[in-house]
Amino acid sequence: MSEYKNISVKVCGNPQATGGFMPIATFNSPNFQILDVVYGGFHMNSYFFSIKIEPTQVIYKIIKNNVRSSGSARQGSLVIGMSIPKGYKLNGNVSPYDVLKNLLDTFVSSCMICKDAATSAYEYINGIIKPTVMDEVARQYQLVRYAGPHRSMRIDLQSVGYIMADEAKIRQLLSDVQYPAFANFSEVLVANTSSAVNYTHITNVEIPRVREYRIMDGVKNDAIVRDLNEPIVRRGQKDERYYTNSSVSFTLGALLRGESVANVRLDNESETILIDTKSLSLARERDIRVVVSPSNISSRDIIISTPSGNLELSPDYTFTLRGEQMKLLESNGGIRPLYRGSDNYAITDCMLQGNEYVITMKKQMISHASGKTGYGAAGVAGMEAKELVISLGENTFDKKKNKLNIRSGEKITYRLYEGTLDNQLPKLRGEDQLRQSKTSGRYECSLYIPKSWWPRANFVKITIGDNTFESKVESEDNGLVAKEFKPSSIRNPKADTILAKCLIILVVGILIGGLGGYMLKNWQVEKAKVPCAHCSHVASSQHDLDSHMRSTHPRCDKCNTIFRSSGELKKHIEQEHQFKCPICKIPYDNEGDRDECKKNCEKSKKLQQQQERAAHQGRTTTGGGNSGQHVGPRGTGGSGTQAGGSSTTQNGAQQPERKVGTRRQQ
């Protein structure tokens, strides 16, 4: 964010009789526009003030009447504007009133001569005015950071209000213009006297301003309090089924006296009261006891899986659901058990009965040794089987890399073959993960095969990444082992068959081709399917699904919500946990302020574009030299009419009556 040290100043008027209303001098690159506007009802004042509060700055103007160009009888206005950026204020006990009066006196004494002291009429000194004439006096006014309130005003040009006050009250008013009532206007004029019947008279304005505090609680963000003794009560808003909601009660006076209130903080500079209503909601808890059959299953081998993560069982076979986690009990599949034991059990049934979660398990004769899900191979459970250990060491090589980088958790797919190299019939296929043996240091996994398949099932082929290896199956210590792996030379007989079918298709034609496609489709290896709940991905194992969730569906650190992609997570964070205006990049405490700032920024930008187009159209229509002529209160000079009347354009179209006075663009 840029650091502002000085105010910005712009002076506009008609210094030349043959010229129009134009910028005369600037300081510190002002980014606001000053239009040649006649404010009907204020023409009798020697000078008066204007206030405009934009989303990014506050613009103060002093308008000097009875000013004319050198050697010209036509009278106009001199306008001096200054701006203070949002988040800053004048250093010291200085009011914008003091600054504007000093700027006006400096310019008048340097660039103008008095023609009539009775009417305070001034004329520009003939000659060129230096654009830096205001630099020295403007540089005197320094800015300091200030987190006071910033209540933007409307941006339409039709809602002008005015206040009448003496000079002392005007000075106090300009020192603090953050009146909530000003938000109903696009501009507020301040003068000693006025006959502005076409503008809204703002009455009952307390000068100086009585501070009003906005309550920020995430529930009623528009609540404003100014009464020191008005009771302020807030209560937790979360679902009573899952949370216990408490309440807090206090007064503004108590906070201003420095009294401490739990979950409440007063920001005196920004005039806000921050209430943490989330802390007023205490999550309820529900303990669920897991009953496992058979009872010899260790609680360390049972995991309760939820969409937001896994829950470990305590040694007494219980897990706890807190707050909205209890919703999981109301949905089918909200919680599900996983078995990670090393023996050959599979979960066959689970059911919630009151506060007990009953899990039934059965022994499986064929299963993966890792057994994360506990499900055995289909169709062969209950048969007498032998364990086959697949063991890999540093002698396993990759043709390209010369050596494989094997590690624990490495995913492996295997296929067991029955017969010789010339007659290979795959009998069993599956997936598992490698684990490093503490005794041998090798990386192993195991599977069970029916005893009746041995010794015919004497070859195993494994795939790690893009590498495929094969080994003979040999007997060892009442079991089977495959550990002398080398790059695979096993040909897939199906590939040869497919090639033959393709040759037949070329000869026979489309009919046989369709039959071949049907056969090919039925030859595809069916894998275990574990669908992802957040996208169309189908994993081949629970481990594959867990890896997919970690790499593809990120989790929000603030609210634990899972998303389909990192882009959705980023959008969620910007919408739910950040409140920054996308146009001016100013951060806010809540969504409402951010949206209001965005709306005002868009309107301000649109208005500026309209004013620039109107200014360009005015120069094109009037031919430049006479564009500065305008209609004063007495209707002298130019071709317009007085405020409240109507005019006719060059093509004969009648302009509608305007209630705020005649406006001319630069």
Side-chain angles (χ1 to χ4, degrees), residues 58-320:
V58 182
I59 302 170
Y60 305 87
K61 293 187 291 185
I62 185 169
I63 299 97
K64 175 71 175 73
N65 289 323
N66 302 332
V67 174
R68 65 186 183 187
S69 304
S70 177
S72 173
R74 180 174 64 85
Q75 291 190 347
S77 299
L78 172 70
V79 183
I80 300 178
M82 60 166 284
S83 72
I84 298 178
K86 179 182 179 182
Y88 289 84
K89 71 174 182 176
L90 288 167
N91 188 20
N93 187 27
V94 180
S95 169
Y97 172 90
D98 303 324
V99 180
L100 292 173
K101 285 297 299 293
N102 195 2
L103 293 172
L104 177 62
D105 293 342
T106 300
F107 187 86
V108 169
S109 62
S110 302
C111 306
M112 311 190 83
I113 58 175
C114 182
K115 288 295 185 179
D116 187 350
T119 61
S120 190
Y122 281 81
E123 180 178 289
Y124 291 94
I125 297 174
N126 190 17
I128 299 176
I129 300 175
K130 293 182 179 180
T132 59
V133 66
M134 307 297 286
D135 287 10
E136 183 177 352
V137 64
R139 195 174 285 112
Q140 300 175 9
Y141 299 104
Q142 304 292 314
L143 298 176
V144 294
R145 286 193 176 274
Y146 178 66
H150 187 85
R151 301 183 175 99
S152 299
M153 297 165 61
R154 295 172 58 178
I155 64 172
D156 64 89
L157 298 177
Q158 305 299 320
S159 54
V160 177
Y162 71 96
I163 297 172
M164 290 189 296
D166 58 28
E167 292 295 314
K169 289 294 186 181
I170 292 176
R171 185 183 187 280
Q172 288 182 310
L173 172 65
L174 266 60
S175 297
D176 185 359
V177 297
Q178 296 298 325
Y179 286 84
F182 286 6
N184 299 321
F185 302 94
S186 61
E187 186 175 11
V188 174
L189 306 176
V190 185
N192 300 126
T193 60
S194 173
S195 59
V197 295
N198 290 330
Y199 303 135
T200 301
H201 187 195
I202 305 175
T203 59
N204 299 324
V205 174
E206 298 182 69
I207 303 174
R209 181 176 70 90
V210 176
R211 307 189 95 189
E212 296 183 342
Y213 291 79
R214 184 175 183 181
I215 300 177
M216 308 290 294
D217 58 4
V219 181
K220 301 177 181 178
N221 287 327
D222 293 330
I224 300 293
V225 60
R226 59 184 294 180
D227 187 346
L228 299 180
N229 299 316
E230 177 185 350
I232 302 173
V233 180
R234 289 295 184 271
R235 181 178 174 81
Q237 299 294 312
K238 293 190 176 181
D239 195 326
E240 295 281 358
R241 294 176 297 173
Y242 315 118
Y243 295 88
T244 301
N245 293 315
S246 60
S247 62
V248 62
S249 178
F250 59 94
T251 64
L252 173 59
L255 297 179
L256 293 175
R257 290 191 298 271
E259 297 182 15
S260 177
V261 181
N263 303 315
V264 178
R265 183 169 65 89
L266 174 68
D267 190 333
N268 204 27
E269 275 196 344
S270 62
E271 299 180 22
T272 55
I273 300 173
L274 306 176
I275 305 176
D276 184 9
T277 53
K278 292 183 178 179
S279 298
L280 299 177
S281 299
L282 181 64
R284 299 179 186 271
E285 294 185 354
R286 181 175 177 181
D287 293 330
I288 305 296
R289 182 175 181 272
V290 175
V291 178
V292 183
S293 176
S295 59
N296 62 338
I297 302 297
S298 172
S299 62
R300 294 173 304 198
D301 294 332
I302 300 293
I303 295 177
I304 303 300
S305 175
T306 73
S308 59
N310 295 333
L311 303 175
E312 297 280 353
L313 283 184
S314 64
D316 61 349
Y317 289 82
T318 62
F319 64 92
T320 302

Side-chain angles (χ1 to χ4, degrees), residues 459-470:
F459 283 93
V460 63
K461 183 168 69 171
I462 65 172
T463 300
I464 304 176
D466 297 330
N467 300 283
T468 304
F469 305 92
E470 66 182 58

Side-chain angles (χ1 to χ4, degrees), residues 653-666:
Q654 188 173 7
Q655 297 292 335
E657 179 178 348
R658 306 184 65 176
K659 296 183 179 181
V660 296
T662 306
R663 299 176 182 267
R664 290 196 294 278
Q665 309 290 338
Q666 179 180 333

